[in-house]
Amino acid sequence: MVRFGIGMAPVEPLKKVVATAKLAEDLGFEYVGHADQRFNGEKDVFVTLAADALNTERVQLGPCVSDPFSRIPAMLAVAMASLDELSGGRAVLTLGAGGSGFTQLHLERKHVNEALREAMLMIRALFSGEAVTYEGKLFKLTSAQLKFATRRDLPIYLATRSPMNLELAGEVADGALIATYVSKEQLEFAIERIRAGAERAGRKLEDIKLISWVYTSISDDGQQAVENVRPFVTQALVNTSPEAYRTIFEGFDKELPSFLSKIREMGREGLEVAYKDRTYLTDAVIQRFSVAGTADDCIRKIREITSLGIDEIWLRCFSAPRSEIEHEKVIVPFAKKVMPAFR
């Protein structure tokens, strides 16, 4: 059996966001996460999650994703432990590199791998309930203790496409949220990186929960579903580490990596160019990195994911191009037409 979750940016009125979380629970989804983003209409993620916690009963809840730059690790530990108490033990922390609002906040994303490592170690130490003194290269803590009942095993997942951070997930995290990769070749690449990190830390791959985090749209018009995810897949590919290009773009235009590198150098203007491109970012490329199309298309793609032994899939849902609203237009047909094939 495959477990499904959803993620959404909390940009709609909070009452609507909470109603969508409750709807997801009623439809059989087992996780609801919210993007920890800012300055583009998003509500505060922990206020939103607290409201979810008070209006749901079973779904796991958490930010997807939070980063250690805009939210320092110790305060993330406080927020997550508080959410866990409020929700009756349903909180899950997912960390990632972040980037939202960094320009406005004058933040720099430096030493990402080390920042994520230190964040996970510090947060897990605080979840122990003990007083924590931590001397990291980037983060420090002196005699800090939560001083309220905390679940020691509150899960910490790492969301990433980066080879280095996939290995870090294998070393340190409770789970790896494999972002954007949905084809067999991509997932094999990611899983091998996770395995390498696990072995380096004396762990087994089986010790790490593997979750597929996929851009998703479903429609009777399969082409429209592809267009719905196109802007988000495009941005993800532009932000993907060039180290992964040779593997993940196998079979596509040999100039695609060079095209994406040029787009990265152009910044925001480059993204707009990429959104319009169909020479390199063909429909086939977008489909390779998403679960988008008709119900049958989505079922085929999920079967490809689960063939790698991954039995939990979180959907980042899009109902229209560049739209972060009306998630019900995705989760309702997905629950009715796709999920029954995996029960």
Side-chain angles (χ1 to χ4, degrees):
M1 181 172 142
V2 180
R3 293 161 50 93
F4 290 94
I6 71 163
M8 50 185 170
V11 297
E12 295 186 277
L14 275 178
K15 289 184 179 180
K16 168 70 182 301
V17 174
V18 172
T20 304
K22 177 59 177 168
L23 173 62
E25 180 175 74
D26 293 342
L27 289 169
F29 290 92
E30 299 183 49
Y31 168 87
V32 173
H34 295 297
D36 189 1
Q37 300 173 175
R38 53 207 60 83
F39 307 137
N40 198 29
E42 300 92 347
K43 314 302 190 301
D44 178 78
V45 72
F46 285 105
V47 172
T48 306
L49 289 164
D52 287 344
L54 294 172
N55 288 276
T56 58
E57 298 176 355
R58 299 181 305 279
V59 289
Q60 293 183 306
L61 299 165
C64 190
V65 297
S66 285
D67 68 81
F69 303 102
S70 62
R71 294 188 187 269
I72 61 174
M75 297 311 297
L76 265 175
V78 174
M80 287 302 303
S82 302
L83 176 64
D84 200 54
E85 177 185 307
L86 183 63
S87 65
R90 293 186 282 140
V92 175
L93 172 59
T94 305
L95 289 170
S100 171
F102 280 26
T103 299
Q104 296 93 325
L105 293 168
H106 295 265
L107 294 175
E108 292 187 70
R109 188 165 58 177
K110 290 184 175 180
H111 311 295
V112 173
N113 186 263
E114 185 62 31
L116 289 168
R117 179 188 300 275
E118 291 187 11
M120 287 190 283
L121 294 174
M122 182 186 290
I123 291 168
R124 184 171 285 123
L126 287 165
F127 287 164
S128 75
E130 305 295 328
V132 176
T133 295
Y134 184 88
E135 286 287 332
K137 295 178 181 178
L138 302 174
F139 303 112
K140 302 183 188 301
L141 202 60
T142 303
S143 301
Q145 187 175 13
L146 295 183
K147 295 187 179 179
F148 63 91
T150 308
R151 186 159 53 111
R152 299 175 70 98
D153 60 351
L154 196 160
I156 303 174
Y157 298 159
L158 182 57
T160 186
R161 292 178 295 274
S162 156
M164 283 184 63
N165 290 339
L166 287 165
E167 292 190 17
L168 177 62
E171 284 187 65
V172 180
D174 298 307
L177 202 62
I178 304 172
T180 316
Y181 297 161
V182 294
S183 73
K184 183 175 183 291
E185 295 78 12
Q186 296 162 359
L187 289 169
E188 287 175 340
F189 167 78
I191 290 169
E192 283 310 305
R193 298 275 57 76
I194 296 166
R195 188 195 307 275
E199 291 176 352
R200 188 160 58 242
R203 306 170 80 193
K204 298 178 180 179
L205 180 66
E206 293 73 23
D207 297 334
I208 298 98
K209 186 174 188 61
L210 302 181
I211 302 170
S212 180
W213 176 230
V214 295
Y215 294 123
T216 304
S217 188
I218 182 171
S219 173
D220 292 337
D221 181 348
Q223 181 61 43
Q224 183 59 55
V226 172
E227 291 306 314
N228 292 346
V229 301
R230 177 180 288 279
F232 305 95
V233 172
T234 298
Q235 184 168 352
L237 295 181
V238 170
N239 291 331
T240 297
S241 169
E243 183 183 346
Y245 283 173
R246 186 167 67 175
T247 298
I248 66 175
F249 292 136
E250 186 174 352
F252 292 122
D253 192 310
K254 293 181 180 180
E255 295 302 316
L256 177 56
S258 297
F259 171 75
L260 290 174
S261 295
K262 291 176 183 176
I263 293 296
R264 286 165 69 103
E265 293 171 2
M266 294 170 65
R268 171 54 62 179
E269 181 183 342
L271 272 178
E272 292 300 323
V273 172
Y275 291 153
K276 297 173 184 176
D277 175 75
R278 298 296 185 276
T279 301
Y280 301 106
L281 295 171
T282 62
D283 288 351
V285 172
I286 302 303
Q287 289 170 314
R288 173 82 72 88
F289 292 89
S290 64
V291 174
T294 65
D296 287 342
D297 294 331
C298 293
I299 289 170
R300 280 193 295 271
K301 186 54 70 75
I302 290 169
R303 283 184 175 148
E304 186 173 3
I305 295 169
T306 58
S307 72
L308 275 294
I310 296 172
D311 62 4
E312 187 154 348
I313 298 173
W314 293 358
L315 316 179
R316 186 74 160 86
C317 303
F318 301 104
S319 62
R322 304 200 192 198
S323 173
E324 295 273 17
I325 65 173
E326 298 183 316
H327 298 85
E328 67 276 7
K329 290 183 177 180
V330 178
I331 65 173
V332 171
F334 193 94
K336 291 181 177 179
K337 298 178 181 181
V338 177
M339 286 165 58
F342 300 94
R343 295 303 189 201

